[in-house]
Structure formats: structure tokens, C-alpha cells
């Protein structure tokens, strides 16, 4: 297993995977290198600020739904349990949203869902409930950071979740970038390309 996060590689090893290693992200210089951009390509991709990537909106929705499904199962079922889960998650997300530079999801999850986390850790130790909830915070952070750059004319290539940033003034291209030549052109022609 290769992970671009050192801490994740450590966790994999602790979980019993003997061959888990940290592998920093890098680029293949044969695929990611400047080339000649035509006048038309310059017109299409010459942007002051660009972002290419996933909004994570759809994943966040799926993971949040799975977290609540598991919580409702733990709580004995019913609409009240589902509403309680949603209410508690909104409290966590509202607090996290106050300052995306500090990560509080784990701490707040342990505060609001202590018995559920303890039960699940014993019954399903392989299941990372925090990761399910953290996806929503990560998605909101991406959208907030990119939307904040709207006054600089940021243009975004990615999934339809970026329409949320477009509401704040970011320019959404309406599609994913093709990963070979088009991605090179975006990187090459942009003044600044961001990675959240």
C-alpha cells in the first residue's frame, strides 16, 4: 500500500499491513511538461487563477448518509434517530466551518457520538467513522477556499459540485479536465494553479 500521507502509512502498518509505505505525490515529467500552446489554446486556458480537481460533494453526501445509516442502526432505528444524527452532524460541521484552518471534527465527533463510536470500534474496528464525517468538512473547505478566490477570477475544472463555488462567483468550466494534454495546457497557461 502506498499513501501520500505519512500518517496514513503508519496507520496501515499498525492495522497489520506489512508493506505500507509513504510515497509523496509527484509528476511524471514525460506527461507534465510545458509544450506549445496555440493561440486558440491560449485563449481557452490563459486564466489568472485555476483549480482542477474534485469538489468531493457527492462523496461527502454518500459518506454522511452511511454514517447516519449506521447511527440509526445503533440507536434502534426510527425517524427520531435519523433526525438526531443529522442535528448533531450539523453542529459539528457548523463549528468546523468557523475556521477551516483548524480541524475539530474528530474531537467534536467524540463529544457528540461517544457511545456510538465506542460501540462501532468494538464491533467493526476496520470502519473509520471519523473519515465518513470528515469528508463533508473537506468538501466544504475546498469549495469555500476556491469560492473565496472569485474576485481574482478563479476558473474551476471538475465535477458538478463546483457549481456551489460558482454561486459565489467562481467560474466553473462545466466539466472535468481531460488528464493528458488539456491538464498540461491548464497548468501551463494559468498564472497560478491551486491545489487545496
Amino acid at each position: 500500500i502506498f499513501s501520500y500521507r505519512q500518517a496514513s502509512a503508519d496507520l496501515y502498518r499498525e492495522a497489520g499491513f506489512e508493506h505500507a509505505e509513504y510515497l509523496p505525490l509527484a509528476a511524471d515529467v514525460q506527461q507534465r511538461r510545458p509544450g506549445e500552446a496555440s493561440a486558440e489554446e491560449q485563449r481557452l486556458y490563459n486564466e489568472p487563477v485555476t483549480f482542477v480537481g474534485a469538489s468531493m460533494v457527492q462523496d461527502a453526501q454518500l459518506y454522511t448518509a452511511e454514517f447516519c445509516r449506521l447511527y440509526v442502526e445503533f440507536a434502534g432505528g426510527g425517524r427520531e434517530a435519523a433526525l438526531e444524527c443529522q442535528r448533531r452532524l450539523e453542529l459539528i460541521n457548523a463549528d468546523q466551518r468557523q475556521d477551516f484552518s483548524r480541524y475539530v471534527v474528530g474531537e467534536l465527533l467524540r463529544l457528540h457520538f461517544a457511545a456510538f463510536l465506542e460501540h462501532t470500534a468494538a464491533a467493526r474496528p476496520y470502519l473509520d467513522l471519523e473519515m465518513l464525517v470528515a469528508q463533508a468538512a473537506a468538501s466544504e473547505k475546498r469549495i469555500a477556499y476556491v469560492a473565496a478566490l472569485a474576485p481574482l477570477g478563479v476558473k474551476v475544472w471538475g465535477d458538478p459540485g463546483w457549481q456551489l463555488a460558482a454561486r459565489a462567483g467562481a467560474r466553473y468550466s462545466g466539466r472535468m479536465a481531460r488528464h493528458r494534454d488539456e491538464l498540461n495546457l491548464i497548468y501551463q497557461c494559468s498564472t497560478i494553479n491551486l491545489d487545496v
Side-chain angles (χ1 to χ4, degrees):
I1 296 174
F2 292 102
S3 173
Y4 66 92
R5 290 192 173 107
Q6 178 67 56
S8 294
D10 295 341
L11 290 173
Y12 283 124
R13 282 191 293 275
E14 289 171 18
F17 294 94
E18 294 178 23
H19 304 287
E21 295 184 37
Y22 169 61
L23 181 66
L25 288 176
D28 181 339
V29 295
Q30 296 305 311
Q31 289 187 7
R32 297 285 171 252
R33 66 183 186 284
E36 292 296 319
S38 68
E40 176 65 10
E41 290 168 337
Q42 282 287 342
R43 186 187 68 75
L44 289 171
Y45 302 110
N46 186 4
E47 300 290 342
V49 183
T50 59
F51 178 85
V52 179
S55 70
M56 300 170 62
V57 168
Q58 187 175 14
D59 287 344
Q61 291 168 346
L62 292 171
Y63 291 158
T64 299
E66 178 64 5
F67 181 91
C68 283
R69 184 191 71 75
L70 292 166
Y71 178 78
V72 169
E73 180 184 293
F74 162 77
R79 181 167 161 67
E80 285 300 315
L83 291 173
E84 180 64 18
C85 183
Q86 291 170 2
R87 185 188 68 76
R88 290 181 189 185
L89 287 178
E90 182 47 41
L91 289 172
I92 292 169
N93 289 329
D95 198 350
Q96 179 61 62
R97 194 175 292 132
Q98 295 299 310
D99 180 0
F100 286 116
S101 70
R102 64 178 176 79
Y103 178 75
V104 296
V105 170
E107 175 186 334
L108 294 175
L109 198 60
R110 289 183 289 281
L111 177 68
H112 290 283
F113 291 98
F116 173 49
L117 294 177
E118 186 176 318
H119 168 80
T120 304
R124 299 175 175 156
Y126 54 86
L127 187 58
D128 187 349
L129 292 175
E130 183 176 339
M131 185 276 302
L132 294 177
V133 176
Q135 289 297 313
S139 176
E140 285 189 21
K141 177 180 181 176
R142 282 177 167 237
I143 290 168
Y145 280 22
V146 170
L149 297 169
L152 300 175
V154 65
K155 186 167 184 179
V156 181
W157 281 262
D159 58 83
W162 287 111
Q163 292 172 13
L164 295 170
R167 291 181 194 155
R171 294 177 303 129
Y172 173 50
S173 71
R175 61 186 175 76
M176 300 288 287
R178 292 182 309 277
H179 270 272
R180 293 215 34 121
D181 296 337
E182 186 175 31
L183 195 55
N184 285 346
L185 287 165
I186 294 167
Y187 292 163
Q188 167 183 335
C189 297
S190 303
T191 304
I192 298 171
N193 180 265
L194 303 173
D195 182 355
V196 178

